Amino acid sequence: GTTATGGAPFTGGTTATGGAPFTGGTTSTGGVAVAGGVTAMGGATGAGGASVGGALGTVSARLVKVINKDWKFIKQDVSGADAVTFADTAWQAVQLPHSFEQPYWRTMFATSPYAGWYRKHITVDQSLIDAKKRIFIEFEAVFQYAKVYVNGVLVGEHKGGYTGFTFDISANVKVGDNVIAVRVDGSWNAQIAPRAGERIFAGGIYRDVTIVVTDPLHVSFYGTFVSTKDASSSSATVEVQTEIQNDSTAARTCHVTSTILDASGGVVATLDSTKSIVAGALSTFVQDSTAITNPHLWSPTTPYLYSVYTQVYDGTTLVDDYTSPLGIRTVKWDKDNGFFMTGTHVWLQGA
């Protein structure tokens, strides 16, 4: 498998709203009905956006399903728990987020071993395989050393309890029942920061786990970076950087449209770019807006949020979409006068 070490947190990302219903689970508002897909024994659906219909083979935009429900857990470092046929019926039924251990340094509560296993079944339809989509499993955070298996195969590992990570499991899933197994080691590790301090060190999958289905041409994991280049009460400009991955076997002519929307959904600006991306490559689109007049400025007292809706086209066919939050503001540190947000001094007080 691949190793995904901790480090700098990812920026940008998508809000899990809208999307398409799957068999089982709770469907969020918005989106469209999709036949087939991934059955995950419960869970809530999220992200997505484009209007699509019919069987899953006709779906063009990304599908996202939160799979937090109906996991099995044991606080033992069990041998062979990654195997598809492993018997987990006696394990504890848990929902995510879940933490299985008190901080290791609280010796009166923590108990050895500081490791545990999670298992879950998902069902994949034939239509999903036929559509040649990419299938990813995304973890928002696991404390603190995770090894992820799909159908008995190690697909990757991640060290670091405070950063998200993803693995492409397209080659590992099959039609019908699939088993996800995660070994989590929450013990202290001198090679993993932070090694001490006023933090909670408690093992477990303590944030959302998501199955994401995309076209081979898609926005990468946390693949947008939206920033304010300058801002005042009368005008602002915004830069949108979007990483597009081409996992197909041929070059693609990729068109990216980034639409800046206000809080009520009104269009503020539209940015368009086109380029060719060779097979297997990652390419970054950089788009600058024209002046946004009289913007709503973000501040702690008026936390107004715009959004950036990204659409990815293979030629003229919509294949992916993605939403990123945007607060219009600038920040500046001055060694003599302190912190300024969009030209206004902000008093910061803390430890």
Side-chain angles (χ1 to χ4, degrees):
T2 40
T3 301
T5 30
F10 295 96
T11 57
T14 182
T15 303
T17 55
F22 294 88
T23 306
T26 303
T27 304
S28 57
T29 56
V32 294
V34 177
V38 179
T39 301
M41 309 301 179
T45 55
S51 180
V52 291
L56 190 58
T58 67
V59 172
S60 58
R62 73 172 47 206
L63 303 176
V64 176
K65 183 173 180 64
V66 179
I67 57 168
N68 287 349
K69 292 185 178 180
D70 302 317
W71 288 75
K72 288 298 191 90
F73 170 76
I74 190 168
K75 190 180 178 296
Q76 293 180 25
D77 198 2
V78 181
S79 177
D82 57 304
V84 173
T85 57
F86 185 88
D88 60 13
T89 53
W91 290 17
Q92 179 185 2
V94 299
Q95 322 295 334
L96 304 183
H98 177 262
S99 183
F100 64 78
E101 185 59 270
Q102 291 285 336
Y104 67 86
W105 39 262
R106 296 184 66 185
T107 54
M108 71 289 288
F109 297 111
T111 57
S112 179
Y114 306 114
W117 280 86
Y118 296 84
R119 285 171 55 92
K120 180 176 178 60
H121 290 256
I122 64 172
T123 301
V124 175
D125 285 357
Q126 180 70 55
S127 57
L128 184 64
I129 303 300
D130 293 343
K132 300 185 185 303
K133 298 287 187 177
R134 308 306 297 180
I135 306 172
F136 301 88
I137 186 166
E138 296 184 357
F139 294 80
E140 288 191 3
V142 178
F143 197 91
Q144 69 174 342
Y145 180 13
K147 290 186 174 181
V148 181
Y149 300 81
V150 175
N151 294 328
V153 177
L154 177 66
V155 297
E157 58 184 54
H158 178 81
K159 296 179 180 179
Y162 302 105
T163 52
F165 56 98
T166 183
F167 299 116
D168 187 338
I169 60 173
S170 308
N172 306 101
V173 296
K174 58 183 177 61
V175 176
D177 183 60
N178 294 264
V179 177
I180 299 168
V182 185
R183 180 186 182 274
V184 180
D185 186 346
S187 58
W188 185 84
N189 188 326
Q191 296 180 328
I192 303 176
R195 290 175 287 275
E198 293 296 323
R199 298 177 177 87
I200 295 298
F201 300 84
I205 305 177
Y206 69 97
R207 289 185 180 168
D208 291 344
V209 178
T210 307
I211 296 292
V212 178
V213 181
T214 72
D215 187 82
L217 188 69
H218 59 271
V219 179
S220 66
F221 180 60
Y222 284 128
T224 60
F225 184 79
V226 184
S227 58
T228 305
K229 298 187 72 174
D230 58 76
S232 68
S233 59
S234 60
S235 179
T237 56
V238 171
E239 181 181 88
V240 181
Q241 298 183 42
T242 307
E243 292 182 342
I244 303 296
Q245 177 69 41
N246 179 11
D247 281 331
S248 68
T249 57
R252 298 284 190 94
T253 299
C254 179
H255 181 82
V256 174
T257 297
S258 300
T259 306
I260 300 174
L261 305 170
D262 62 23
S264 61
V267 175
V268 175
T270 302
L271 319 175
D272 290 285
S273 302
T274 301
K275 66 169 72 173
S276 178
I277 306 177
V278 300
L282 179 72
S283 182
T284 301
F285 288 68
V286 180
Q287 301 169 313
D288 292 317
S289 74
T290 56
I292 300 171
T293 58
N294 302 319
H296 298 276
L297 300 178
W298 189 97
S299 73
T301 55
T302 57
Y304 187 97
L305 282 179
Y306 293 82
S307 63
V308 178
Y309 178 52
T310 301
Q311 294 169 294
V312 180
Y313 293 84
D314 181 3
T316 59
T317 302
L318 177 66
V319 294
D320 195 15
D321 60 349
Y322 197 85
T323 300
S324 309
L326 166 63
I328 294 180
R329 80 281 194 213
T330 60
V331 295
K332 175 186 175 182
W333 283 99
D334 183 283
K335 66 181 181 65
D336 297 316
N337 299 305
F339 179 74
F340 291 82
M341 178 173 290
T342 321
T344 300
H345 182 263
V346 178
W347 176 259
L348 301 179
Q349 181 174 345

